[in-house]
């Protein structure tokens, strides 16, 4: 018999309550016999009711999961939020409970609502219950959302990571203060200290929505100091503001206003770098479109991913850097059907062009150009051309000779170690192919430790300062650097470790490619 | 302009601050170097830097793979002389040298301090802003301007307490220098033996800046105007060297360089505005030390990886998937 009413909360199985409250019954001496008889009668009934009730519930659940049981949401009740504004919670879930017409759809919507509220990261727990609607309105249900706000709004974490843009790995820590003003706002302060004495300090705020803007907004102030003396003879200091204007699953739009200073305390830089030293303002709008249909971003075995990042700098004529920068990244993964193996391929490309009159003759800023090299994971990182295993960070591409010092003019001796500065390229292309597989021992498989073999290639070219006229696709393809290798990947709770042996297949004069073992640390998430 | 270099001709590239006030470069540190190259009839091109107003390595002269920076070895002029690239004093007799050196010391110290004080402390910020910060965004230019004023006050030892006293002292020394130079110059075209020296480049740069860049209310300018022969000397040489026409130049970022061999300067304690101490030269590591360090790094890394493998095998990392405990569960057993 069809029954469109959902299970009312007040009609809980009596057997449960009986089971929990049976021990609390008190019997007196005077009424012991009657009580005993009454109890015996009740016990008989209790023995029959649980079975009947269980059967009844089973049939109801069977119906609910298979047949379309029509229901309408009458009201959404929010409980437990003492600090968080009702409007914030309602805004996250309001669109979900208008459409469902059946219990199945309602349960699915409740699942999504649960996930959305947990994503706010300001609640310790979220529970959603479907309660019976008013008696006078049959076929309706009330959705009760009960949240438990974070008991400790202050959280912190520490980790060790290596990033494509950094010279080596860094120790990072952050503190978060959640829900300070009840708008599910998250305030965070973070710091990162690199092995190469790079330093980053930042503080910011993130809100899931602000007034009429339905997407998350963020604002961040940061100070970053980075040392590129060994590779490009300059130190970089950045100070600025970053505003996240639009952030959804696929789209990200942000604005960055940065004061950048390049210095060379060693005074050994090449002429190209020497001319880039000084102060600059970066006023840039950055749009990123990302779609990741891979089954895992740490060890993908099927699916594809694509990202496109566009950056325009030189907004509002702040006398800053003017350029347009574009990156593409395409990945694909397919299972091989044995040893849990998967084949991953990737292709990345990027280009930067100065903006302005006679732009082909203008120069681009060195820090905004593309650099290849380093130890970051080929498979995990999705963000433009950067990694080329087997080569040192910033270890290939256009370079300029550093200053020569004559220690003793008479004897003619001179000092020049690491005599080239890598100045980056305006055009970058990288590609890789990777096969991952389980290791023979079960203990490794259970721990997620797996092996991989890879081959990768990449190249950089200069296009600015008139060099675009000399660019030749044939020569660009002929001068591709490449490397191959094998390695082991160890995922741990704190970070993901890659230990690779790399063999450089092709490199050119002044490149810093080296055969040997490399380590890489990245985020486990 | 980015004239190509030829290793034989030793074409020089001077990077200085931009021209203004009818001067080929408006910066009082860059102008003497420019004039020195002009007086030496050197083959050089000028490039302008407008993004690093607080640097102390500008002006600099590039020759081949080497470069003469302002904050090394007493400055660009001293370095060019030492490397025998350009030496205006070479043809002067040894008898003139002591006089030349003491005159140069007076110009380089007393008049240099007077220019610093006048430009950054005495007169308003317009002149300095036009020379150094006009190409930068206003907030950055302002911050750098304040920083420079602070640095100059520290260099000159000017505080709120002794401001007036220091001012009087600086102007007094400048006046004494003008009088001495005026007497030394007389009716000559140049200060020494009617041939240009580095003293001429230094004082000419100072005089042209004071006469053309500083406002009429400047006390330093008023003091210089009292010495007619010095003013005539400056104007005469300005016309002779054709400094009125702005030199053709390129911004540093659009030039391209070809490598060529050349001698390079030895390092000495630096001088100049905001001079920073020389970085200590890195100790040359022997091959054995490098090898030992590399092996030590590999050893430490291997130990770390072993610990991580042990921790991983002892505890499998949990999934990061969302808990589903609050969803309604229909699969009742």
């Amino acid at each position: 018999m069809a029954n469109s009413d959902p299970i009312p909360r007040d009609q809980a199985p009596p057997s449960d309550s009986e089971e929990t409250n049976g021990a609390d019954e008190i019997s007196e001496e005077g009424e012991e016999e009657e009580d005993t008889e009454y109890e015996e009668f009740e016990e008989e009934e209790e023995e029959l009711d649980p079975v009947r009730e269980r059967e009844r519930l089973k049939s109801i659940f069977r119906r609910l999961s298979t047949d379309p049981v029509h229901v309408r949401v009458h009201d959404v009740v929010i409980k437990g939020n003492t600090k968080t504004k009702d409007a914030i919670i309602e805004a996250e879930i309001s669109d979900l409970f208008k459409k469902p017409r059946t219990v199945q759809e309602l349960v699915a919507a409740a699942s999504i609502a649960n996930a959305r509220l947990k994503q706010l990261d300001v609640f310790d727990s979220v529970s959603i219950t479907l309660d019976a609607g008013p008696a006078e309105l049959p076929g309706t249900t009330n959705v009760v959302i009960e949240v438990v706000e974070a008991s400790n709004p202050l959280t912190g974490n520490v980790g060790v990571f290596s990033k494509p843009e950094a010279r080596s790995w860094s120790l990072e820590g952050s503190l978060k203060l959640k829900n300070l003003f009840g708008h599910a706002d998250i305030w965070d302060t973070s710091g990162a200290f690199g092995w190469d004495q790079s330093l980053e300090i930042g503080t910011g705020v993130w809100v899931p929505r602000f007034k009429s803007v339905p997407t998350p907004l963020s604002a961040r102030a940061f100070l970053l100091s980075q040392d590129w003396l060994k590779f490009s003879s300059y130190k970089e200091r950045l100070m600025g503001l970053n505003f996240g204007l639009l952030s959804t699953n696929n789209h990200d739009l942000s604005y960055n206003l940065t004061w950048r200073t390049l210095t060379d305390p060693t005074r050994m830089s090449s002429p190209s770098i020497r001319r880039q030293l000084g102060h600059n303002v970066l006023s840039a709008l950055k749009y990123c479109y990302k779609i990741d249909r891979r089954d895992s971003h740490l060890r993908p075995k099927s699916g594809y991913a694509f990202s496109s990042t566009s950056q325009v700098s030189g907004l509002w004529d702040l006398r800053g850097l003017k350029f347009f920068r574009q990156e593409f990244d395409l990945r694909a993964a397919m299972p091989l059907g044995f040893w849990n193996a998967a084949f991953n391929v990737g292709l990345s490309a990027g280009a930067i062009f100065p903006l302005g009159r006679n732009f082909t003759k203008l120069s681009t800023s060195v820090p905004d150009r593309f650099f290849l090299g380093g130890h970051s994971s080929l498979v995990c990182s999705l963000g433009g051309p950067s990694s080329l295993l087997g080569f040192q960070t910033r270890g290939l591409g256009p370079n300029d000779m550093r200053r020569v010092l004559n220690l003793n003019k008479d004897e003619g001796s001179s000092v020049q170690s690491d005599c080239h500065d890598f100045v980056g390229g305006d055009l970058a292309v990288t590609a890789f192919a990777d096969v991952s597989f389980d290791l023979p021992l079960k203990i490794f498989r259970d721990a997620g430790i797996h092996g991989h073999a890879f081959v990768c290639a990449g190249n950089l070219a200069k296009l600015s300062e008139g060099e675009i006229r000399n660019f030749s696709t044939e020569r660009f393809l002929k001068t591709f650097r490449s490397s191959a290798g094998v390695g082991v990947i160890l995922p741990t709770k704190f970070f993901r470790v890659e230990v690779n042996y790399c063999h450089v297949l092709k490199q050119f004069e002044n490149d810093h490619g080296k055969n040997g073992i490399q380590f890489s640390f990245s985020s486990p998430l | 302009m980015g004239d190509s270099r030829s290793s034989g001709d030793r074409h020089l590239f001077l990077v200085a601050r931009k021209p203004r006030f009818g001067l080929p470069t408006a910066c009082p540190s860059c102008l003497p170097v420019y004039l020195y190259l002009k007086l030496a009839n050197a083959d050089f091109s000028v490039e302008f830097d407008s993004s690093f107003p607080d640097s102390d390595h500008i002006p600099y002269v590039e020759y081949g793979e080497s470069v003469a920076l302002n904050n090394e070895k007493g400055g660009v002029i001293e370095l060019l002389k030492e490397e025998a690239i350009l030496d205006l004093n070479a043809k002067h007799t040894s008898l003139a040298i002591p006089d030349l050196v003491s005159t140069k010391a007076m110009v380089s110290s007393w008049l240099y301090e007077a220019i610093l004080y006048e430009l950054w402390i005495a007169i308003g910020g317009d002149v300095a802003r036009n020379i150094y910060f006009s190409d930068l965004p206003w907030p950055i230019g302002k911050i750098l301007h304040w920083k420079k004023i602070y640095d100059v006050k520290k260099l000159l030892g000017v505080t709120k307490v002794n401001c007036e006293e220091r001012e009087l002292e600086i102007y007094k020394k400048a006046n004494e220098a003008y009088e001495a130079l005026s007497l030394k110059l007389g009716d000559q075209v140049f200060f020494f033996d009617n041939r240009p020296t580095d003293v001429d480049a230094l004082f000419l740069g100072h005089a042209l800046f004071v006469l053309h860049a500083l406002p009429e209310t400047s006390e330093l300018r008023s003091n210089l105007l009292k010495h007619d022969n010095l003013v005539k000397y400056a104007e005469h040489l300005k016309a002779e060297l054709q400094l009125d026409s702005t030199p053709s130049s390129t911004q540093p970022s659009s030039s391209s360089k070809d490598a060529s061999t050349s001698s390079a300067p030895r390092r000495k304690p630096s001088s100049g505005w905001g001079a920073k101490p020389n970085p200590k030269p890195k100790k040359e590591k022997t091959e054995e030390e490098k090898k030992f360090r590399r092996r030590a790094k590999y050893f430490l890394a291997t130990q770390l990886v072993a610990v991580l493998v042990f921790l991983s095998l002892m505890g499998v990392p949990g999934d990061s998937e969302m808990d589903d405990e609050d969803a309604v569960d229909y699969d009742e057993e």
Side-chain angles (χ1 to χ4, degrees):
Chain A
M1 194 165 80
N3 182 7
S4 60
D5 292 337
I7 301 171
R9 233 172 106 193
D10 53 353
Q11 290 183 22
S15 60
D16 293 334
S17 59
E18 289 292 336
E19 284 172 4
T20 53
N21 297 329
D24 294 332
E25 287 185 339
I26 303 170
S27 61
E28 296 180 4
E29 259 185 45
E31 299 171 341
E32 191 174 335
E33 283 189 8
E34 288 183 358
D35 287 341
T36 308
E37 286 178 358
Y38 183 66
E39 281 172 13
E40 283 175 358
F41 175 70
E42 276 196 337
E43 277 171 12
E44 284 174 7
E45 279 205 336
E46 281 168 18
E47 283 170 10
L48 293 172
D49 279 347
V51 175
R52 216 180 292 160
E53 199 56 35
R54 219 173 288 130
E55 284 303 319
R56 190 174 81 87
L57 284 172
K58 269 189 185 172
S59 72
I60 288 171
F61 283 132
R62 209 175 300 119
R63 255 196 71 231
L64 288 175
S65 58
T66 53
D67 298 341
V69 179
H70 293 286
V71 73
R72 186 172 57 84
V73 174
H74 173 255
D75 193 15
V76 177
V77 178
I78 300 171
K79 293 181 182 176
N81 54 322
T82 51
K83 197 195 287 186
T84 315
K85 305 276 186 288
D86 280 354
I88 298 295
I89 300 175
E90 283 166 9
E92 289 294 318
I93 50 99
S94 59
D95 59 318
L96 291 172
F97 294 113
K98 286 178 187 169
K99 290 178 188 172
R101 288 282 174 262
T102 65
V103 171
Q104 291 92 330
E105 287 173 6
L106 193 56
V107 168
S111 240
I112 298 171
N114 190 300
R116 280 191 191 175
L117 291 174
K118 281 189 174 170
Q119 265 180 4
L120 293 178
D121 202 24
V122 294
F123 302 120
D124 278 345
S125 72
V126 177
S127 71
I128 299 179
T129 313
L130 305 179
D131 198 359
E136 61 271 19
L137 295 173
T140 61
T141 180
N142 285 344
V143 178
V144 180
I145 299 175
E146 194 157 353
V147 299
V148 176
E149 288 171 336
S151 53
N152 184 12
L154 192 65
T155 58
N157 61 57
V158 179
V160 176
F161 307 106
S162 67
K163 294 177 183 171
E165 62 274 13
R167 177 179 156 183
S168 68
W169 33 284
S170 61
L171 175 69
E172 297 180 15
S174 69
L175 277 176
K176 281 186 188 175
L177 184 61
K178 299 179 186 177
N179 216 3
L180 185 64
F181 295 108
H183 290 276
D185 45 300
I186 297 180
W187 301 79
D188 81 284
T189 298
S190 64
F193 182 74
W195 189 255
D196 57 344
Q197 287 155 18
S198 63
L199 177 71
E200 181 177 358
I201 299 169
T203 184
V205 61
W206 177 91
V207 289
R209 56 190 65 237
F210 183 72
K211 291 190 177 174
S212 58
V213 180
T215 58
L217 297 174
S218 65
R220 187 163 193 80
F222 62 90
L223 171 66
L224 169 64
S225 160
Q226 217 154 28
D227 183 347
W228 298 108
L229 286 171
K230 187 179 172 187
F231 309 104
S232 304
S233 294
Y234 71 87
K235 285 180 95 164
E236 187 180 9
R237 192 192 71 221
L238 297 104
M239 201 184 319
L241 300 170
N242 180 281
F243 298 96
L245 304 173
L246 174 75
S247 179
T248 65
N249 285 339
N250 300 120
H251 305 276
D252 197 279
L253 181 68
S254 62
Y255 171 72
N256 201 314
L257 183 64
T258 306
W259 173 7
R260 181 163 64 200
T261 305
L262 304 183
T263 58
D264 173 25
T266 64
R267 297 185 225 127
M268 290 296 292
S269 58
S270 57
S272 305
I273 297 295
R274 203 180 298 128
R275 276 155 178 70
Q276 297 260 345
L277 300 178
H279 303 275
N280 272 309
V281 164
L282 190 72
S283 169
L285 203 61
K286 189 173 176 181
Y287 168 70
C288 181
Y289 172 75
K290 199 179 275 195
I291 180 167
D292 195 340
R293 295 278 185 261
R294 298 175 297 179
D295 56 347
S296 162
H297 69 274
L298 290 179
R299 189 184 173 184
K301 292 173 202 162
S302 66
Y304 67 92
F306 172 75
S307 86
S308 163
T309 304
S310 309
Q311 189 177 11
V312 174
S313 176
L315 301 177
W316 301 306
D317 192 27
L318 285 180
R319 295 179 194 155
L321 300 167
K322 290 180 169 62
F323 62 83
F324 173 73
R325 194 173 191 268
Q326 177 65 50
E327 288 175 16
F328 292 108
D329 207 329
L330 181 63
R331 305 288 170 92
M334 57 207 81
L336 293 178
F338 59 91
W339 293 352
N340 203 17
F343 180 65
N344 276 268
V345 290
L347 178 66
S348 306
I352 179 171
F353 299 100
L355 295 177
R357 213 177 286 175
N358 294 327
F359 69 94
T360 54
K361 294 180 185 171
L362 298 176
S363 176
T364 49
S365 174
V366 168
D368 297 310
R369 293 178 190 166
F370 296 92
F371 293 88
L372 297 183
H375 311 156
S376 61
S377 170
L378 294 171
V379 171
C380 297
S381 58
L382 182 71
S386 62
S387 181
L388 195 62
L389 297 178
F391 290 84
Q392 205 177 36
T393 303
R394 293 194 173 193
L396 62 112
N399 56 81
D400 195 3
M401 190 174 286
R402 285 183 185 167
R403 186 181 178 189
V404 174
L405 289 181
N406 255 2
L407 285 183
N408 192 323
K409 208 168 50 174
D410 296 329
E411 290 176 14
S413 62
S414 64
V415 170
Q416 196 170 43
S417 60
D418 293 331
C419 53
H420 288 85
D421 286 334
F422 288 98
V423 298
D426 300 305
L427 173 68
V429 177
T430 60
F432 76 90
D434 178 283
V435 174
S436 65
F437 47 86
D438 278 347
L439 297 173
L441 292 178
K442 189 177 181 300
I443 193 169
F444 288 148
R445 288 199 297 273
D446 291 340
I449 298 173
H450 56 279
H452 74 138
F454 60 88
V455 61
C456 53
N459 201 3
L460 292 167
K462 181 177 179 180
L463 299 177
S464 54
E465 296 179 15
E467 287 293 325
I468 194 170
R469 279 189 235 107
N470 302 329
F471 177 76
S472 152
T473 310
E474 193 185 336
R475 195 176 68 212
F476 184 71
L477 291 172
K478 275 186 185 170
T479 53
F480 254 77
R481 283 75 164 171
S482 58
S483 66
V486 293
V488 175
I489 295 158
L490 301 88
T492 71
K493 272 184 188 170
F494 302 107
F495 37 77
R496 182 179 176 279
V497 182
E498 265 193 46
V499 183
N500 297 318
Y501 175 80
C502 301
H503 178 76
V504 177
L505 300 172
K506 191 176 179 186
Q507 62 176 322
F508 289 85
E509 192 185 358
N510 302 325
D511 288 350
H512 288 178
K514 195 177 173 185
N515 299 335
I517 294 179
Q518 290 180 344
F519 293 90
S520 165
F521 297 85
S522 56
S523 168
L525 300 174
Chain B
M1 174 175 166
D3 291 325
S4 59
R5 292 184 178 177
S6 57
S7 52
D9 300 337
R10 198 169 269 188
H11 184 80
L12 307 177
F13 286 85
L14 167 66
V15 176
R17 304 232 157 79
K18 63 179 187 179
R20 209 170 173 95
F21 309 115
L23 299 171
T25 167
C27 167
S29 291
C30 305
L31 192 53
V33 176
Y34 179 91
L35 294 169
Y36 186 86
L37 297 176
K38 269 285 196 183
L39 289 171
N41 290 319
D43 177 22
F44 73 101
S45 309
V46 184
E47 296 174 8
F48 297 118
D49 183 294
S50 54
S51 65
F52 211 169
D54 55 332
S55 73
D56 51 1
H57 71 276
I58 292 175
Y60 60 87
V61 171
E62 288 177 344
Y63 46 100
E65 288 165 4
S66 300
V67 61
L69 300 174
N70 183 54
N71 55 355
E72 284 182 343
K73 297 192 70 170
V76 177
I77 294 174
E78 292 302 315
L79 207 134
L80 292 175
K81 278 163 43 184
E82 188 165 326
E83 295 299 318
I85 309 263
L86 283 172
D87 188 355
L88 280 179
N89 299 354
K91 293 176 183 173
H92 288 269
T93 62
S94 59
L95 291 174
I97 298 301
D99 197 12
L100 199 150
V101 169
S102 57
T103 309
K104 188 167 69 178
M106 182 178 64
V107 172
S108 301
S109 56
W110 292 359
L111 294 185
Y112 169 71
E113 283 185 359
I115 280 271
L116 272 187
Y117 181 85
E118 198 73 359
L119 178 62
W120 294 105
I121 301 174
I123 62 177
D126 287 344
V127 176
R129 190 171 54 243
N130 284 331
I131 296 170
Y132 297 101
F133 308 114
S134 58
D135 287 332
L136 290 176
W138 179 85
I140 295 176
K142 201 71 186 170
I143 292 170
L144 293 176
H145 194 172
W146 286 334
K147 187 175 171 294
K148 190 68 183 185
I149 292 173
Y150 173 80
D151 289 340
V152 168
K153 283 183 177 175
K154 206 171 165 186
L155 185 72
L156 298 177
V158 174
T159 62
K160 283 181 187 172
V161 174
N162 70 356
C163 181
E164 288 180 10
E165 188 186 319
R166 273 300 280 148
E167 184 178 288
L168 287 172
E169 188 182 333
I170 288 170
Y171 285 144
K172 179 171 171 287
K173 283 182 179 173
N175 282 336
E176 286 176 7
Y178 289 152
E179 282 176 15
L181 288 166
S182 180
L183 282 172
K184 176 69 190 167
L185 182 66
D187 293 326
Q188 297 178 96
V189 178
F190 297 106
F191 281 100
F192 294 94
D193 301 336
N194 266 326
R195 283 204 197 97
T197 61
D198 51 358
V199 172
D200 293 288
L202 290 171
F203 179 73
L204 183 60
H206 170 92
L208 287 175
F209 181 83
V210 169
L211 293 171
H212 293 275
L214 295 183
E216 290 178 0
T217 52
S218 162
E219 187 163 338
L220 193 67
R221 187 171 184 270
S222 310
N223 291 337
L224 181 60
L225 286 171
K226 292 175 189 170
H227 304 276
D228 291 335
N229 64 336
L230 294 178
V231 176
K232 280 179 191 167
Y233 159 86
E235 297 300 335
H236 167 73
L237 282 175
K238 184 174 177 234
E240 275 280 316
L241 297 172
Q242 295 176 339
L243 300 179
D244 286 332
S245 55
T246 306
S248 59
S249 62
T250 50
Q251 290 299 321
S253 59
S254 59
S255 63
S256 58
K257 300 287 166 278
D258 295 327
S260 61
T261 56
S262 177
S263 60
R266 255 173 293 161
R267 285 183 182 175
K268 272 189 185 173
S270 59
S271 64
W273 296 358
K276 292 174 186 130
N278 271 340
K280 288 180 188 171
K282 278 187 182 173
K283 189 181 162 187
E284 279 293 311
K285 292 180 190 160
T286 61
E287 277 303 313
E288 282 180 10
E289 277 180 12
K290 286 181 189 172
K291 214 174 182 182
F292 175 75
R293 280 177 178 270
R294 196 168 50 242
R295 285 181 179 171
K297 278 183 195 171
Y298 277 134
F299 176 75
L300 286 172
T302 312
Q303 295 301 308
L304 180 64
V305 168
V307 168
L308 291 171
V309 170
F310 174 77
L311 288 173
S312 301
L313 294 176
M314 290 302 112
V316 177
D319 287 337
S320 58
E321 289 171 2
M322 190 176 60
D323 278 340
D324 215 8
E325 57 192 19
D326 292 324
V328 178
D329 184 5
Y330 291 108
D331 298 324
E332 205 174 43
E333 290 179 7

